[in-house]
Amino acid sequence: MGHRALVAYERTDGQYTLHYSHWGAANLKLKHRISAESPFGGEDTDSKWAKQLLAELADGLEADAVDGYLAGEDRPSTVVEPKPRATGLTLDEIVADHLDYLHHEAFFVVSTTFEVTAYRTLWFGLQYDSETVEQGETVGNGALATVRWYDGEPVGDGTLQGQFAALKDVVGDMLDKGVFTPSTARQYLKRKLAARVGDRQELLIPTGESPFETASLGKP
């Protein structure tokens, strides 16, 4: 099944190219496998073809042109698919319209200087936690939480996921008992998640309006 992730590479115009990684979310280690020497991860530590391709994508190369660029070449495998799923996107568009919070376990943002920010996805859908919810949206329906790191390892990532799962179980029960409506259940999820994340991590939630909302306590 894999540990699926989406990876957004910043372009020179401030927009992003969006790529897919089938195993990139595993322990969030993709954060340390993407570098200037190996832009798409993998064992090749001097990926001249990858550097050139990413440079052209950063300058606005369209996804359709990548097939011709890669054709006929025997290239080492990479952790991130070199061909983008989409180009010319804002981060707001990615998290609201492309990121599947159920099936994509992580999201990585790579700056033009190869600073990599790892986000864990947290799905707000309650269909597995409530008998009254038949189906929940997966795209754009969740939160992104940054992860604290110590000595190259994520700290508290599993704990946050476990706490969020327990929170959803409680909210699902409250829905079934009629205490919450779907709207108030979502607001409660957001508020309690923000309290548990606190100030040490960044919490981002796509909304129907903005669509990015910072929802950490102590932040506006």
Side-chain angles (χ1 to χ4, degrees):
M1 186 174 179
H3 294 279
R4 291 170 282 191
L6 291 184
V7 185
Y9 291 86
E10 186 180 16
R11 304 197 319 185
T12 54
D13 62 2
Q15 294 185 316
Y16 291 82
T17 61
L18 184 62
H19 297 247
Y20 172 77
S21 174
H22 195 63
W23 294 101
N27 206 27
L28 300 176
K29 287 300 184 68
L30 187 56
K31 173 180 171 66
H32 301 296
R33 300 191 68 177
I34 293 174
S35 67
E37 291 72 30
S38 185
F40 301 116
E43 302 302 323
D44 188 356
T45 57
D46 187 22
S47 302
K48 293 180 181 179
W49 68 270
K51 296 175 188 177
Q52 183 179 353
L53 174 58
L54 190 61
E56 294 193 25
L57 286 168
D59 286 338
L61 182 71
E62 295 294 334
D64 291 343
V66 174
D67 284 336
Y69 186 92
L70 297 175
E73 296 288 346
D74 183 19
R75 303 185 188 280
S77 62
T78 57
V79 184
V80 181
E81 291 182 358
K83 183 178 179 179
R85 296 290 177 94
T87 61
L89 299 174
T90 66
L91 284 180
D92 288 348
E93 289 171 333
I94 292 172
V95 300
D97 302 327
H98 295 267
L99 193 61
D100 186 315
Y101 290 78
L102 173 60
H103 298 106
H104 297 138
E105 299 175 24
F107 177 53
F108 299 86
V109 178
V110 185
S111 74
T112 55
T113 57
F114 288 94
E115 294 180 19
V116 183
T117 303
Y119 294 91
R120 178 62 72 187
T121 56
L122 301 165
W123 181 47
F124 284 165
L126 294 168
Q127 67 193 52
Y128 302 121
D129 306 281
S130 168
E131 296 179 357
T132 60
V133 177
E134 293 184 1
Q135 187 172 357
E137 293 291 336
T138 60
V139 175
N141 184 28
L144 293 169
T146 55
V147 178
R148 292 181 292 119
W149 295 84
Y150 178 77
D151 198 22
E153 297 292 333
V155 177
D157 180 39
T159 300
L160 177 61
Q161 292 182 75
Q163 290 176 340
F164 185 63
L167 173 61
K168 288 177 63 175
D169 188 54
V170 171
V171 172
D173 286 343
M174 294 299 100
L175 264 174
D176 292 342
K177 293 176 181 178
V179 176
F180 287 150
T181 66
S183 177
T184 56
R186 180 182 174 86
Q187 292 301 317
Y188 185 83
L189 270 177
K190 289 166 59 177
R191 187 170 67 252
K192 288 297 185 180
L193 179 59
R196 295 185 184 191
V197 168
D199 290 330
R200 292 179 297 176
Q201 296 163 252
E202 184 181 16
L203 184 67
L204 300 174
I205 301 172
T207 68
E209 299 81 24
S210 27
F212 246 168
E213 170 186 332
T214 301
S216 285
L217 291 182
K219 297 183 180 181

